[in-house]
């Protein structure tokens, strides 16, 4: 996308308003006349049995009130059963099941015809190939393909480490993954499906949408658990607001609430417009974008020595938190977006993902100075290098404290050894105080010394030691991931753990043995063998085993 969703929605509304005021000037090819998107040519086209419509948007409470009033009037009643669900920010998919078997999967495309992505859909574990329980003769099951926030973060880390471009957000990552021409690539991506509606159906006989959701769950689909039945404006709005307030607590991005008329006979009476049905409405949450001044760009040293430009921003409130720094990923990204120091920039925060700089605000440029990658590491002074064809610069130092801190932080992180309490601040103090020089030192920490650290205290020290103790028995895959080997992300670590069963066998493995595994490429095999061949790393693992890790 070249503009933000919020900007798109605003422009779309303006266009709708203009077309209403001047209907004669509305063109036939107007975006308001089509459900959105275009089918591309690389995949076979697939025409949906029933069109995949869009949803009308509401940004204010009063628009929900108007929607309900219209429904009451059309149904000639003063109440109507409604269902409120989270609006998942993913990629729409249409799955055709005949006698309970998946026969076709397609993207939405222009609403009538999408792309046949059957082979890719079959790689998604949450897409049942056969429906459990009694299923209709024919049904188009529709839902959203998403990537969870946590999986998205690991996916981007893996890509960054492999020198590949990162995805802007989970939705783009899901869309890109679904539209791979090679299903094997799709299979490696952490996609999952949530079902929210259906199209054509024969022999289904649902009287209510809520019945369909329950039915879909029975067939083996994942259905969002918070679908709620309500009736009047007050409870409907209350539920929308509750979803908005809790949006960060969801593991997937949600960008609104969908209000749907529950009864199928009511839906039939309300009917549809060209683009969207009259029986549903999307209540969009406030965007979490803001604009602010880019004060400076600093080079920050990460784990594995990757040097990333980090934006220092004039503090600005964004979705309830004050943001003063944001990631700029890599120099190519900076250049592509033509971001200069001093610019007015748009920043975005999606869930608990680190804030990102989307780009300069058009027509408001003030900055002239461009960021230059330093020739020497800003922390340890070693040479900075960039490998052929890679997007990332690296510090070549072997004992750079910045790298050590990031390596330790990674080791202790939730997806790795999950040592609760060992976060960035504590790691910094432990390294700066010389208490930790490597992973094994973590397992030698003592309560007295810890309690003496600033902002620590006896209780926190004891809690930390208990968390460290628990981490001794993490599964092998987490341990492999925690080691921080280049190109070995969560998924690869699982493959390695399954293939070798213990660390001794893994570290004795040859490059050929690694290459023979499904999902292990030459870069990873080379990185892993050189990691285990390095005497410093051999010592590190010996020390960890000696420290009692099982
Ligand atoms: S119902 C007639 N329910 O939002 C529309 N859609 O902007 C039937 N979406 O194309 C769709 N979460 O891909 C429905 N809980 C939900 C949804 C949802 C996300 C997507 C869907 C749709 C788009 C409309």
């Amino acid at each position: 996308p070249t503009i933000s969703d919020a900007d798109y929605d605003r422009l779309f509304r303006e266009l709708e308003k203009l077309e209403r005021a001047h209907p004669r000037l509305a063109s036939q090819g107007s975006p308001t006349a089509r459900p959105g998107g275009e089918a591309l040519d690389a995949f076979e086209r697939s025409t949906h049995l029933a069109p995949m419509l869009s949803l009308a948007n509401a940004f204010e409470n009063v628009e929900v009130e108007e929607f309900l009033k219209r429904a009451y009037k059309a149904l000639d009643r003063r109440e109507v059963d409604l269902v409120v669900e989270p609006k998942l920010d993913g990629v729409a998919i249409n799955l055709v099941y005949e006698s309970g078997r998946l026969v076709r999967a397609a993207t939405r495309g222009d609403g009538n015809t999408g792309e046949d992505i059957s082979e890719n859909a079959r790689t998604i574990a949450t897409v049942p190939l056969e429906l459990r329980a009694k299923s209709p003769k024919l049904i188009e099951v529709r839902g959203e393909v998403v990537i969870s926030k946590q999986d998205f973060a690991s996916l981007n880390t893996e890509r960054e480490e492999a020198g590949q471009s990162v995805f802007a957000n989970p939705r783009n990552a899901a869309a890109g993954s679904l539209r791979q021409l090679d299903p094997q690539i799709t299979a490696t991506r952490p996609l999952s499906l949530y079902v929210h509606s259906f199209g054509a159906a024969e022999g289904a006989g649902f009287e209510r949408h809520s019945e369909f959701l329950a039915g879909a769950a029975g067939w083996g689909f994942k259905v969002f658990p918070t679908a709620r039945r309500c009736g009047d404006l007050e409870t409907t709005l209350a539920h929308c607001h509750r979803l908005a307030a809790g949006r960060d607590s969801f593991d997937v991005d949600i960008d609104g609430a969908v209000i749907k008329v529950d009864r199928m006979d009511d839906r039939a009476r309300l009917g549809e417009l060209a683009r969207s049905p009259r029986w549903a409405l999307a209540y969009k949450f406030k965007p979490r974008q803001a604009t602010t001044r880019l004060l400076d760009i600093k080079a920050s040293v990460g784990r594995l020595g990757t040097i990333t430009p980090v934006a220092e921003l004039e503090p600005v409130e964004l979705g309830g938190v004050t943001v003063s720094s944001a990631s700029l990923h890599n120099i190519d990204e900076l250049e592509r977006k033509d971001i200069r120091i001093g610019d007015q920039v748009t920043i975005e925060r999606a869930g608990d993902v680190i804030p990102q700089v989307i780009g300069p605000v058009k027509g408001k440029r003030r900055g002239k100075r461009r960021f230059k990658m330093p020739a020497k590491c800003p922390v340890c002074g070693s040479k900075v290098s960039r490998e052929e064809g890679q997007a990332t610069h690296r510090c070549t130092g072997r004992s750079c404290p910045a790298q050590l801190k990031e390596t330790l932080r990674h080791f202790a992180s939730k997806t790795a050894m999950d040592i609760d309490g060992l976060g960035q601040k504590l790691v910094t103090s432990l390294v700066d105080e010389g208490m930790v020089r490597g992973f094994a030192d973590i397992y030698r920490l003592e309560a007295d010394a810890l309690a003496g650290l600033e902002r620590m205290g006896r209780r926190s020290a004891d809690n930390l030691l208990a968390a460290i103790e628990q981490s001794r028995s993490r599964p092998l895959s987490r341990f492999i991931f925690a080691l921080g080997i280049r190109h070995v992300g969560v998924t690869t670590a699982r493959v390695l753990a399954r293939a070798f069963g213990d660390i001794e066998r893994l570290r004795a493995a040859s490059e050929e043995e690694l290459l023979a595994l499904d999902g292990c490429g030459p870069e990873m095999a080379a990185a892993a063998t050189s990691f285990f061949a390095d005497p410093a790393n051999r010592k590190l693992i010996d020390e960890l085993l000696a420290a009692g890790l099982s």
Side-chain angles (χ1 to χ4, degrees):
T2 52
I3 61 169
S4 72
D5 285 358
D7 285 344
Y8 181 90
D9 286 342
R10 201 174 33 71
L11 288 170
F12 196 93
R13 296 216 119 190
E14 192 180 331
L15 179 61
E16 279 181 329
K17 217 164 119 190
L18 283 167
E19 289 179 347
R20 263 199 308 275
H22 311 281
R24 281 193 318 125
L25 296 180
S27 81
Q28 275 196 335
S30 169
T32 59
R34 53 169 86 224
E38 293 281 339
L40 292 160
D41 280 322
F43 293 94
E44 295 270 321
R45 287 163 161 269
S46 170
T47 300
H48 312 310
L49 303 174
M52 291 177 82
L53 297 176
S54 268
L55 292 166
N57 286 332
F59 297 89
E60 307 294 339
N61 294 346
V62 51
E63 295 172 81
V64 176
E65 189 175 352
E66 284 160 8
F67 164 79
L68 279 190
K69 277 191 182 149
R70 274 195 306 273
Y72 294 153
K73 193 165 167 216
L75 297 171
D76 198 17
R77 280 210 308 266
R78 297 202 33 212
E79 55 169 46
V80 53
D81 285 354
L82 300 163
V83 173
V84 178
E85 299 168 7
K87 184 170 191 302
L88 302 174
D89 196 7
V91 185
I93 192 169
N94 188 34
L95 303 164
V96 184
Y97 287 87
E98 283 174 12
S99 307
R101 294 183 96 127
L102 176 65
V103 294
R104 205 162 48 251
T107 60
R108 185 167 73 161
D110 66 3
N112 293 313
T113 303
E115 291 168 315
D116 187 325
I117 49 156
S118 303
E119 290 314 304
N120 292 348
R122 285 174 191 280
T123 69
I124 304 173
T126 43
V127 171
L129 302 179
E130 278 190 42
L131 302 184
R132 266 198 257 130
K134 209 169 142 299
S135 54
K137 193 161 163 264
L138 169 95
I139 188 156
E140 285 185 298
V141 176
R142 291 171 179 173
E144 235 37 36
V145 174
V146 296
I147 290 184
S148 77
K149 293 174 192 170
Q150 205 180 355
D151 285 337
F152 170 73
S154 328
L155 180 65
N156 261 359
T157 312
E158 280 175 38
R159 291 179 67 85
E160 209 154 355
E161 282 163 14
Q164 295 168 316
S165 61
V166 293
F167 292 111
N169 53 48
R171 191 214 319 146
N172 281 12
S177 305
L178 257 193
R179 297 195 54 263
Q180 291 292 327
L181 288 170
D182 178 0
Q184 303 242 24
I185 299 179
T186 310
T188 65
R189 304 282 170 80
L191 297 168
S192 55
L193 167 77
Y194 286 96
V195 159
H196 55 53
S197 55
F198 65 98
E202 279 173 34
F206 296 116
E207 284 181 11
R208 288 173 177 269
H209 170 68
S210 45
E211 261 174 42
F212 160 73
L213 289 181
W219 296 333
F221 288 105
K222 281 212 285 185
V223 173
F224 235 90
T226 52
R228 241 348 127 80
R229 286 248 310 258
C230 43
D232 56 8
L233 177 68
E234 206 178 314
T235 34
T236 305
L237 279 178
H239 194 57
C240 291
H241 297 158
R242 208 171 309 128
L243 284 174
R247 72 190 283 195
D248 283 344
S249 63
F250 286 88
D251 190 32
V252 297
D253 275 342
I254 63 170
D255 61 348
V258 187
I259 305 165
K260 300 175 180 175
V261 168
D262 195 28
R263 294 189 62 96
M264 294 299 160
D265 52 358
D266 286 348
R267 287 187 178 193
R269 283 176 65 194
L270 288 165
E272 278 143 21
L273 300 165
R275 212 177 163 268
S276 53
R278 282 202 195 83
W279 44 258
L281 183 71
Y283 177 84
K284 296 285 276 260
F285 298 156
K286 300 261 177 303
R288 287 193 295 187
Q289 283 197 340
T291 61
T292 186
R293 176 119 9 243
L294 175 60
L295 301 174
D296 202 356
I297 301 178
K298 290 267 161 69
S300 147
V301 190
R303 190 167 71 82
L304 308 167
T306 340
I307 303 199
T308 13
V310 173
E312 293 195 351
L313 305 163
E314 206 166 81
V316 61
E317 225 222 69
L318 188 57
V321 296
T322 306
V323 173
S324 55
S325 73
S327 164
L328 288 160
H329 298 300
N330 57 51
I331 193 106
D332 292 345
E333 191 104 339
L334 260 182
E335 279 165 12
R336 192 171 55 77
K337 292 177 177 166
D338 189 22
I339 297 169
R340 300 182 206 169
I341 298 161
D343 275 351
Q344 190 73 16
V345 291
T346 303
I347 59 166
E348 183 177 61
R349 200 174 71 94
D352 43 17
V353 179
I354 308 159
Q356 315 228 358
V357 176
I358 303 293
V361 181
K362 290 216 176 73
K364 283 210 180 164
R365 157 144 295 150
R366 275 222 332 229
K368 290 212 167 61
R369 196 155 62 86
R370 290 194 163 91
F371 170 77
K372 256 188 72 189
M373 191 54 84
K376 289 198 172 136
C377 170
V379 179
C380 72
S382 308
K383 206 176 136 255
V384 167
S385 76
R386 184 186 202 174
E387 281 164 41
E388 270 287 302
Q390 300 253 311
T392 44
H393 287 75
R394 278 174 210 283
C395 156
T396 53
R398 290 241 7 162
S399 51
C400 175
Q403 282 186 50
L404 175 61
K405 286 175 191 168
E406 286 305 308
T407 308
L408 291 167
R409 208 159 67 96
H410 169 78
F411 184 84
S413 66
K414 264 218 136 38
T415 27
M417 298 298 271
D418 193 12
I419 305 178
D420 200 23
L422 191 49
Q424 187 169 21
K425 281 200 184 119
L426 185 56
V427 163
T428 303
S429 324
L430 290 172
V431 172
D432 291 347
E433 294 294 321
M435 288 164 71
V436 172
R437 293 193 180 82
F439 298 148
D441 291 337
I442 295 176
Y443 295 92
R444 296 191 196 108
L445 287 170
E446 281 170 10
D448 289 344
L450 276 173
L453 287 172
E454 223 180 296
R455 288 188 306 261
M456 197 57 186
R458 192 80 211 184
R459 246 196 47 213
S460 322
D462 287 341
N463 288 343
L464 177 69
L465 288 179
I468 292 174
E469 195 51 43
Q470 278 181 4
S471 78
R472 286 178 198 268
S473 49
R474 295 276 177 254
L476 179 62
S477 62
R478 277 170 171 268
F479 177 70
I480 298 172
F481 174 63
L483 290 174
I485 307 165
R486 249 177 108 177
H487 305 298
V488 178
V490 181
T491 323
T492 320
R494 282 195 203 124
V495 172
L496 294 176
R498 219 173 293 139
F500 293 99
D502 70 50
I503 195 75
E504 294 297 350
R505 287 188 53 212
L506 171 61
R507 73 170 166 182
S510 67
E511 213 168 313
E512 289 69 43
E513 278 177 87
L514 294 175
L515 274 172
L517 298 175
D518 238 4
C520 288
E523 277 178 327
M524 181 260 130
T529 35
S530 88
F531 179 91
F532 290 115
D534 185 332
N537 292 330
R538 297 193 79 84
K539 188 166 155 243
L540 178 150
I541 291 170
D542 288 338
E543 281 182 356
L544 281 171
L545 294 174
L549 265 73
S550 51

